[in-house]
Amino acid sequence: VNSAQSHLGGCGTQTAALKAGGDDPGGSTTNSEEYDGSTWTTGNNLNTARRADGTSGIQTQALVCGGYAPPGAKSVVESYDGTSFTETADLATAQYYNTTSGNTNGTGILSMGGAAGPPAVSTVEEFNQSGTVITAAAWSSGGNLNTGRQDVGGTGTKSAGLAIGGRTGSSAPFAQANNSEEYDGTSWTEGNNLNT
């Protein structure tokens, strides 16, 4: 990548990826870069600097959700159309290290778990977007995870999601979680836990 960073958000495909935000020696950033399968190109900046953000979608239609920048967690959500970032409906709960999972067009995703301060949270929010209604985008509460945690692995859609692993606890060192939970669009059910 052009700018070395940690705690960045990323999404897309192997030939059309997006990275947004992150942490460099100067603090939380607004940087974004696009990948075409061989080269990273510096893109337009986010409106709000952050790191540890949840990012979902594809290079031409993505959402960057929450994140962290001093003095704390962010609820800001920005949509990306392949050219510029625009603030859209914010999360109800400011959070970072949240995992996002959803379809490839960035219009129907979940934001799962994360941290809102020292404790890990079990909050789940659903994002729906449509160009045919007066309110074009909105977040609503989804069913909470059974076990609150951050740095959760996530995949699937908002009606068939999977939350895997993560960390629990309110301070370092965090306990590693082997939990696996399945989402049916309404509630989470314990699945087969990870072996490790």
Side-chain angles (χ1 to χ4, degrees), residues 2 32 59 71 85 126 133 141-142 156 175 177 193:
N2 295 307
S32 80
Q59 191 182 68
F85 289 92
E126 299 177 4
V133 294
S141 294
N193 287 343

Side-chain angles (χ1 to χ4, degrees), residues 36-156:
D36 63 8
S38 61
T39 306
W40 286 95
T41 304
T42 300
N44 289 321
N45 288 342
L46 289 160
N47 295 298
T48 301
R50 63 189 102 174
R51 62 182 182 255
D53 50 276
T55 307
S56 186
I58 59 174
Q59 191 182 68
T60 56
Q61 194 170 15
L63 290 174
V64 178
C65 310
Y68 178 88
K74 302 293 179 194
S75 62
V76 176
V77 176
E78 295 184 46
S79 64
Y80 185 66
D81 62 7
T83 303
S84 60
F85 289 92
T86 304
E87 188 169 347
T88 185
D90 287 350
L91 292 163
T93 303
Q95 55 196 266
Y96 55 98
Y97 288 129
N98 53 317
T99 296
T100 54
S101 176
N103 58 29
T104 57
N105 64 13
T107 61
I109 70 168
L110 293 173
S111 174
M112 304 173 278
V121 297
S122 61
T123 306
V124 174
E125 296 185 42
E126 299 177 4
F127 182 83
N128 295 293
Q129 178 175 323
S130 171
T132 61
V133 294
I134 294 171
T135 303
W139 286 92
S140 61
S141 294
N144 285 349
L145 291 166
N146 294 305
T147 302
R149 52 200 195 271
Q150 65 187 46
D151 298 329
V152 179
T155 189

